[in-house]
């Protein structure tokens, strides 16, 4: 009986993992009929766009990009995804850059800088597809102001070892990030930006998954500092990060883009 239960449990687990593999999920939600791209309930005429790029980040982002290359075929201009070491897959047009997770590293910073360069020049006649999955918060690493990689690494270790819930960790991360908390959407604006999210967070809060780089951020600097205070972490922060949050609360640093911001006028998320 015990052997049967174990065998059944393993089969159930394996079936669940198989069901959420990107190579299965992407074709269920994305297909192309001639020049028409169907993503969920949305339709896009690919003839209207001068550029079609794919970007993204997360442990599954390269695996998500693989079926996208086949679907988009000759209409794909190129792009880049940042994934965890050992999670690359062979792609033809989309570059794969590996980086550190759960603590960001220099390679992730270089990959994110390249990703930013891929979206910043896009105009309103461009279509960008963003592929996000768990791990994107650490892998998409580009930091505000004079915050160094070493300071960001120290912050990550502090949060990860301090028992801070993931949604609270990401509230803090997105405020020091140049792409988190809707800032990637701001960089890509005015291009049409479609985000495909493979969720690893219960309840699927889009602003939390991969720190929500392409969706409005309801959190504030005040929220971030309250979290740090509640976990007694303020005095343990690197000086540059402590100063950055202080200036953010004081209104000296722009907030993350909020609901209703024009940068999201051409954004869609599935």
């Amino acid at each position: 009986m015990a052997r049967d239960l174990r065998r059944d449990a393993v089969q159930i687990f394996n079936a669940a993992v198989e069901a959420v593999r990107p190579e299965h999920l992407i074709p269920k939600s994305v297909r192309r009929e001639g020049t028409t791209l169907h993503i969920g309930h949305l339709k896009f005429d690919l003839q209207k766009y001068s550029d079609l790029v794919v970007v993204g980040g997360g442990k599954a982002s390269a695996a998500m990009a693989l079926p996208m290359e086949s679907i988009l075929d000759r209409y794909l201009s190129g792009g880049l995804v940042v994934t965890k070491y050992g999670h690359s897959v062979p792609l033809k047009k989309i570059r794969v850059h590996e980086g550190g997770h759960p603590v960001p590293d220099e390679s992730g910073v270089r990959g994110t800088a390249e990703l930013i360069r891929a979206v910043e020049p896009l105009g309103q006649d461009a279509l960008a597809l963003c592929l996000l999955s768990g791990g994107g918060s650490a892998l998409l690493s580009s930091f505000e102001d004079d915050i160094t990689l070493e300071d960001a690494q120290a912050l990550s270790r502090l949060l990860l070892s301090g028992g801070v819930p993931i949604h609270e960790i990401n509230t803090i991360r997105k405020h020091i990030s140049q792409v988190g908390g809707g800032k990637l959407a701001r960089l890509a604006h005015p291009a049409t930006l479609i985000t495909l999210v493979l969720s690893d967070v219960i309840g699927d809060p889009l602003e939390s998954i991969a720190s929500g780089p392409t969706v409005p951020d309801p959190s504030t600097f005040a929220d971030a500092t309250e979290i740090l205070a509640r976990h007694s972490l303020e005095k343990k922060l690197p000086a540059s990060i402590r100063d950055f949050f202080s200036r953010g609360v004081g209104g000296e640093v722009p907030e993350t883009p909020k609901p209703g911001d024009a940068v999201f006028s051409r954004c869609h998320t599935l």
Side-chain angles (χ1 to χ4, degrees):
M1 183 61 155
R3 285 197 301 271
D4 290 344
L5 287 173
R6 186 183 189 283
R7 181 200 62 208
D8 291 345
V10 170
Q11 288 178 347
I12 291 168
F13 175 82
N14 289 337
V17 172
E18 188 67 22
V20 294
R21 290 190 184 279
E23 60 265 33
H24 301 320
L25 291 179
I26 294 292
K28 287 182 179 179
S29 300
V30 184
R31 73 182 195 280
R32 180 175 59 84
E33 296 177 349
T35 63
T36 301
L37 182 65
H38 299 261
I39 301 180
H41 67 281
L42 303 171
K43 295 181 182 180
F44 302 91
D45 183 356
L46 298 179
Q47 297 180 104
K48 294 182 177 180
Y49 300 99
S50 60
D51 288 297
L52 198 174
V53 300
V54 171
V55 295
K59 290 176 282 184
S61 60
M64 295 170 77
L66 184 60
M68 290 300 304
E69 280 202 333
S70 297
I71 294 167
L72 299 174
D73 196 28
R74 63 187 178 87
Y75 296 96
L76 176 62
S77 305
L80 176 136
V81 294
V82 185
T83 193
K84 183 180 179 178
Y85 294 113
H87 287 59
S88 293
V89 299
L91 299 175
K92 297 176 181 178
K93 286 188 175 181
I94 303 169
R95 287 198 58 211
V96 181
H97 196 103
E98 294 186 339
H101 174 275
V103 176
D105 69 359
E106 181 61 40
S107 181
V109 170
R110 291 196 303 271
T112 306
E114 188 173 340
L115 185 148
I116 290 172
R117 288 194 293 272
V119 301
E120 274 191 311
L122 298 177
Q124 62 181 3
D125 58 348
L127 176 62
L129 303 181
C130 183
L131 311 176
L132 298 177
S133 73
S137 298
L139 292 163
L140 296 177
S141 300
S142 184
F143 309 109
E144 294 280 14
D145 209 44
D146 57 352
I147 296 172
T148 65
L149 171 60
E150 291 73 20
D151 289 344
Q153 289 173 326
L155 174 65
S156 290
R157 294 189 181 102
L158 189 64
L159 294 170
L160 291 167
S161 64
V164 183
I166 186 61
H167 68 279
E168 293 186 353
I169 290 177
N170 287 351
T171 294
I172 294 164
R173 280 170 160 172
K174 68 179 68 173
H175 278 87
I176 70 165
S177 170
Q178 290 185 327
V179 294
K183 296 176 193 173
L184 183 60
R186 185 158 61 193
L187 290 168
H189 186 72
T192 298
L193 178 61
I194 314 300
T195 304
L196 300 177
V197 180
L198 182 55
S199 173
D200 68 334
V201 182
I202 293 172
D204 306 334
L206 295 176
E207 71 276 6
S208 184
I209 303 163
S211 292
T214 62
V215 296
D217 177 31
S219 71
T220 64
F221 277 106
D223 294 326
T225 55
E226 186 277 328
I227 291 168
L228 292 166
R230 181 157 33 86
H231 292 279
S232 302
L233 297 176
E234 319 102 302
K235 294 182 180 179
K236 300 178 183 179
L237 294 174
S240 66
I241 295 178
R242 188 167 56 247
D243 176 68
F244 181 74
F245 278 116
S246 176
R247 291 188 292 114
V249 171
E252 299 174 43
V253 178
E255 264 291 356
T256 49
K258 304 303 178 201
D261 194 304
V263 300
F264 302 112
S265 61
R266 299 165 68 88
C267 292
H268 308 274
T269 304
L270 178 65

